[in-house]
Amino acid sequence: MKTHHLIIGASAGAISAIEAIRSIDGGRASITVISDERPAGYSKPMLPEFLAGEVDIKGILFRDEAFWRRNKVRLIYGRVSELDLDCRKAKVSGNPSILELEYERLLVATGGKPIISQIEGLENVEKYTFTTLGDAEGLANRLPETSNVAVIGGGLIGVGLSEALIKLGKRVVLIELKPHILSQVLDEKASGILEDRMRRAGVEIRTGHTVARVHWRSHPEKPSYAELDDGDRIPCQQIIMAIGVTPNVELASKAGVETGKGIIVNERMETSIPGVYACGDAVELYDFAHEGRRPLPLWPVARWTGKTAGYNMAGSSRELQGATSMSAMKYFGVPIVSVGHVNPGSQDGYEVEAYLDPARRVYRKIVIKDERIAGFILLGEICDAGIMYYLMRSRVDVRRIKGRIPTRGLGLAHLPRRVRKELLRR
Ligand SMILES: Cc1cc2nc3c(=O)[nH]c(=O)nc-3n(C[C@H](O)[C@H](O)[C@H](O)COP(=O)(O)OP(=O)(O)OC[C@H]3O[C@@H](n4cnc5c(N)ncnc54)[C@H](O)[C@@H]3O)c2cc1C
């Protein structure tokens, strides 16, 4: 079977690419999508809500079933097991109706896979990650017999999962190796506020520690426990590893696509092989706030990179001049936006301005380099996030306004006239 565009994976990156292709070609070229997850196109950030029973499967679909039909996409459930990039062929397994596909353009949107750290005793535990709908369904099935859960990893996945488990009435211990949770996107102060709220909701947080070994017992009188590196015992019937994801590059790399920490792409999201594109959690990108290349496994980044890939696959040249981390979250009732480089530490050339109102639990931090915003955190009150991101992305000189940003916030009236006009035009 032949197709014009072949897309591997059917999540944020793939969907954004399809929408971009169709916005250009009006449905002319054939698109085939292979997904090894069913249903295709659900929202991973909503998995905690699904686990907590707040939404059903339909509720977490990012695009409903009609999307594929409407966009004339042939959606095939199966797994691409091998690529022959010279002959432009893909081998599919797990679906008897299709074994091999020929394509013109290929998009690798294979996402990330969970990072597993080797912990003695954990090799005997059947399923212990939380990155797919299958993981969430499996965990939901096991929860009726579970009262205590140990969550390893205090990133976006671990914190969201902890909240869902607390809602379900479970006792949760969150174990994080770094000195504070969400260390990739928050600083110590912001994490501290959230940690305080989490503790009050019932989560026990053990930062600065890891699990050294797991003692798994089937005897009810001898409960299972996780042993921390300081010897402390955490009784639990479930252990979930939530220490993040790493780009899923094996398929592409085996076929000869250049990879580093992730699949290497240019500004058009094209890989080292002409006609082969990649996007989302699978790639590494130039992070313009951190000034270096790295994977950015975040939903909005998957959307931007997928869209860019799609336009270029459809023949409309578009470039994405890097990206940066961007997280808008609400955990335990605390709204937070974090963008870019928020923890410069003692790095040269960075200025930090911060404001904390403990009574209102409002925290604002802005990181400036060369009179431009390199990153910011808004916690408690997040209404300025759009303007701040605009100033950052457009590299607006903030010399004249920087003193007031953290303390009083930003309204349009405080912006330079040229910037105000530009913002109003959008
Ligand atoms: C629990 C959880 C919470 C999250 N919360 C947030 C959040 O709050 N904010 C945020 O910005 N981001 C969050 N993320 C990250 C976000 O979901 C990802 O960045 C985004 O889903 C990446 O999209 P993607 O299209 O690159 O890949 P993915 O969503 O990983 O999808 C890739 C798909 O490709 C399939 N696939 C892989 N290999 C093959 C193959 N060979 N053949 C066929 N199919 C294949 C995979 O099974 C998967 O279905 C969260 C992730 C998780 C797991």
Side-chain angles (χ1 to χ4, degrees):
M1 188 195 136
K2 261 191 163 174
T3 183
H4 196 89
H5 302 292
L6 174 62
I7 301 180
I8 311 172
S11 184
I15 286 171
S16 309
I18 292 164
E19 289 172 344
I21 293 170
R22 288 306 186 224
S23 73
I24 301 268
D25 81 354
R28 275 190 303 277
S30 55
I31 302 178
T32 304
V33 171
I34 313 284
S35 171
D36 65 357
E37 279 200 90
R38 191 190 280 256
Y42 69 87
S43 161
K44 291 192 174 196
M46 288 185 76
L47 287 179
E49 282 156 86
F50 173 76
L51 180 71
E54 294 172 344
V55 284
D56 59 9
I57 290 189
K58 271 200 169 156
I60 67 166
L61 287 182
F62 177 54
R63 293 290 181 263
D64 63 13
E65 285 160 22
F67 168 84
W68 310 97
R69 251 193 336 273
R70 223 177 25 247
N71 285 287
K72 296 191 195 150
V73 174
R74 182 166 189 204
L75 173 63
I76 295 171
Y77 288 107
R79 182 169 182 78
V80 175
S81 52
E82 209 179 311
L83 291 169
D84 181 339
L85 301 181
D86 292 332
C87 302
R88 301 193 175 213
K89 282 182 183 167
K91 264 195 191 155
V92 181
S93 59
N95 188 317
S97 68
I98 184 109
L99 298 172
E100 196 172 77
L101 273 159
E102 276 180 58
Y103 61 84
E104 291 288 315
R105 303 256 155 105
L106 174 68
L107 175 62
V108 181
T110 47
K113 57 181 186 185
I115 299 170
I116 307 283
S117 77
Q118 297 307 316
I119 296 175
E120 193 185 322
L122 203 57
E123 64 274 7
N124 305 322
V125 183
E126 202 192 316
K127 202 76 178 100
Y128 53 82
T129 54
F130 189 71
T131 59
T132 65
L133 183 59
D135 289 346
E137 286 173 322
L139 181 57
N141 289 337
R142 296 192 303 273
L143 280 182
E145 303 104 59
T146 303
S147 52
N148 294 37
V149 185
V151 176
I152 308 176
L156 292 175
I157 299 176
V159 173
L161 172 59
S162 300
E163 184 173 26
L165 291 167
I166 288 289
K167 285 177 185 164
L168 292 167
K170 307 299 169 190
R171 290 202 55 205
V172 181
V173 181
L174 179 67
I175 303 145
E176 166 58 51
L177 185 60
K178 297 267 171 57
H180 59 88
I181 61 162
L182 291 169
S183 58
Q184 303 259 8
V185 291
L186 299 184
D187 65 359
E188 208 179 329
K189 269 213 182 78
S191 297
I193 297 171
L194 181 60
E195 283 177 18
D196 180 50
R197 182 67 69 93
M198 290 171 71
R199 286 195 173 100
R200 284 194 286 131
V203 183
E204 184 182 335
I205 302 173
R206 303 294 303 269
T207 48
H209 289 286
T210 187
V211 174
R213 58 192 64 81
V214 173
H215 299 264
W216 217 247
R217 318 252 176 99
S218 49
H219 200 289
E221 281 167 24
K222 286 185 179 169
S224 302
Y225 63 92
E227 185 184 325
L228 298 191
D229 47 5
D230 62 357
D232 246 21
R233 293 178 173 193
I234 311 287
C236 53
Q237 294 92 31
Q238 293 290 324
I239 292 189
I240 309 295
M241 196 171 282
I243 51 180
V245 295
T246 182
N248 198 354
V249 301
E250 283 71 19
L251 179 71
S253 133
K254 246 174 135 181
V257 173
E258 197 184 337
T259 59
K261 289 181 197 140
I263 297 174
I264 293 173
V265 286
N266 61 18
E267 288 80 5
R268 302 168 61 244
M269 297 302 123
E270 197 165 18
T271 69
S272 56
I273 310 285
V276 178
Y277 296 78
C279 66
D281 285 10
V283 304
E284 62 165 67
L285 284 175
Y286 178 69
D287 180 332
F288 58 77
H290 284 259
E291 299 177 347
R293 292 185 73 85
R294 62 180 189 136
L296 288 165
L298 291 163
W299 187 269
V301 179
R303 295 273 289 146
W304 298 328
T305 53
K307 197 170 164 183
T308 306
Y311 282 133
N312 286 293
M313 288 167 78
S316 170
S317 181
R318 308 273 173 108
E319 292 192 348
L320 182 70
Q321 303 295 341
T324 194
S325 66
M326 186 177 191
S327 305
M329 49 208 146
K330 191 172 187 181
Y331 295 125
F332 296 85
V334 183
I336 308 172
V337 174
S338 161
V339 179
H341 196 8
V342 295
N343 280 312
S346 55
Q347 265 180 290
D348 276 349
Y350 287 91
E351 286 172 71
V352 173
E353 298 190 345
Y355 166 78
L356 173 68
D357 180 342
R360 291 193 305 132
R361 292 180 182 277
V362 168
Y363 178 62
R364 307 161 70 84
K365 173 178 180 175
I366 169 169
V367 177
I368 297 170
K369 189 181 183 209
D370 301 332
E371 308 298 350
R372 266 78 183 169
I373 297 177
F376 62 89
I377 298 173
L378 301 177
L379 182 148
E381 278 177 5
I382 58 169
C383 48
D384 293 344
I387 295 183
M388 297 268 273
Y389 181 68
Y390 172 80
L391 295 178
M392 177 176 167
R393 195 62 182 110
S394 311
R395 297 198 44 75
V396 172
D397 187 327
V398 293
R399 200 176 325 221
R400 280 177 35 220
I401 49 171
K402 67 183 177 187
R404 64 164 298 124
I405 302 175
T407 48
R408 280 164 289 175
L410 272 183
L412 278 180
H414 309 121
L415 302 177
R417 217 147 91 121
R418 182 188 59 77
V419 177
R420 200 162 60 221
K421 270 189 164 169
E422 166 67 29
L423 263 170
L424 288 172
R425 259 206 312 272
R426 302 178 125 227

